[in-house]
Amino acid sequence: MTVTENSENGKVVLKVEGWLDNKSAPELGTVIDGITEAKELVLDFDGLEYMSSAGVRQVVSAHRTAGTLNASFSVINVSTDVMSIFEMTGLNRKLSIQAKSSVITSGT
């Protein structure tokens, strides 16, 4: 997995590529924990091929970090396979998640 961080004008985008699983999730967690200031936190999953439950936990962690920072939070460019994981967990009803082609749901 590769995580690329881009920050501009208070918007922090974490582009996640590859597999977000038990082995790689701690790396994303370290990046998330390092965010100390943001108006908007975005996880860009355009290059994400697979996400396990450990990856889901990191998405929830990122959402909590955004809340702590009073920042908006969204997950964008989500593939059909990864979207099915969000649907199974119910996170699609609680988070702003955008599929690669359209907005699926907008939550709190």
Side-chain angles (χ1 to χ4, degrees), residues 48-79:
L48 188 68
E49 299 169 25
Y50 171 81
M51 183 173 69
S52 73
S53 60
V56 172
R57 286 190 295 274
Q58 293 305 328
V59 170
V60 172
S61 175
H63 179 256
R64 286 187 183 136
T65 296
T68 300
L69 298 172
N70 292 318
S72 63
F73 177 77
S74 60
V75 184
I76 63 171
N77 296 319
V78 177
S79 70

Side-chain angles (χ1 to χ4, degrees), residues 6 8 10 13 15 18 21 35 43 57 64 71 73-74 84-86 88 91 96 98 107:
N6 183 18
E8 189 174 323
V13 178
K15 186 172 176 84
D21 56 14
I35 299 170
L43 297 180
R57 286 190 295 274
R64 286 187 183 136
F73 177 77
S74 60
S84 68
I85 294 167
F86 285 127
M88 285 189 295
L91 287 174
S96 175
Q98 181 181 342

Side-chain angles (χ1 to χ4, degrees), residues 75-79 83 96-105:
V75 184
I76 63 171
N77 296 319
V78 177
S79 70
M83 185 60 75
S96 175
I97 301 174
Q98 181 181 342
K100 286 190 180 189
S101 60
S102 64
V103 173
I104 299 299
T105 185

